Amino acid sequence: MRRLILPVVLVAALALTGCDSAEPTPPAAGPGADAETDLDLPADGAGNQTPACPFTAAQVSELVGQSMADDGNCSFGDGKGVAALSVTTASQLAGETTYDYQRQQAEQSYQTVTDLDGDGKGYLAVKDIGAEAVLVGGAGSFTVTLSSFERLGAEPDGYAQALRRLLDALPR
């Protein structure tokens, strides 16, 4: 009988102290809780929508001047495992939130980084074997990455020209 008293006392003590597994209540909203107010987003919530992949393999092939196959998830390849193009889409809010960090990383990874003119914000970054462009606008955020295109690397400004054609085809 003595063996049962200690466990019963412990259970009773736990029950009386209110030990439960409920999550702690989240902190109340305070100053700065509504981050969207600092990002120039539309009031109707349109900045929270993630766009679908803006291209088909045929469109990409035409824009880069090389036959490309759809590898899924808005990634395209040359079928040889060499040249690759990917488009990452996100909401305008996500793009605005990560833009400064992405641009800072591009400055460390690419030879040239150029700001884009026009609606929204963006940049175009190029190096000898690849390129990246980011465009953040009303239709969402798009990060386009090209790598290992032999023909584009051989042409002066080949990657930059291909990226500009891709950017011009993106929804705004």
Side-chain angles (χ1 to χ4, degrees):
M1 180 82 168
R2 282 186 164 169
R3 289 183 186 176
L4 295 176
I5 292 175
L6 184 59
V8 170
V9 170
L10 287 174
V11 169
L14 289 173
L16 291 174
T17 59
C19 181
D20 64 0
S21 63
E23 294 282 327
T25 55
D34 186 10
E36 290 182 36
T37 57
D38 296 337
L39 298 175
D40 295 331
L41 296 176
D44 63 1
N48 294 324
Q49 303 299 317
T50 299
C53 181
F55 301 119
T56 65
Q59 290 169 318
V60 168
S61 297
E62 182 178 328
L63 292 167
V64 298
Q66 179 174 330
S67 180
M68 301 295 285
D70 188 339
D71 291 339
N73 293 329
C74 214
S75 294
F76 306 89
D78 64 357
K80 301 172 191 168
V82 179
L85 182 150
S86 68
V87 181
T88 304
T89 62
S91 68
Q92 181 182 6
L93 174 60
E96 290 280 352
T97 303
T98 61
Y99 180 81
D100 291 335
Y101 176 77
Q102 282 184 284
R103 193 175 192 302
Q104 180 184 31
Q105 292 300 306
E107 288 175 354
Q108 295 175 13
S109 301
Y110 292 91
Q111 292 166 334
T112 60
V113 179
T114 307
D115 289 322
L116 298 175
D117 296 329
D119 296 336
K121 68 166 85 171
Y123 67 84
L124 187 137
V126 179
K127 59 183 175 181
D128 59 343
I129 60 168
E132 171 183 282
V134 171
L135 177 65
V136 180
S141 173
F142 302 91
T143 301
V144 181
T145 307
L146 299 168
S147 64
S148 302
F149 283 80
E150 288 181 29
R151 185 187 63 77
L152 295 179
E155 295 177 17
D157 296 327
Y159 277 108
Q161 292 172 10
L163 268 178
R164 290 195 185 277
R165 288 189 300 269
L166 289 159
L167 289 171
D168 288 343
L170 290 174
R172 305 285 173 156

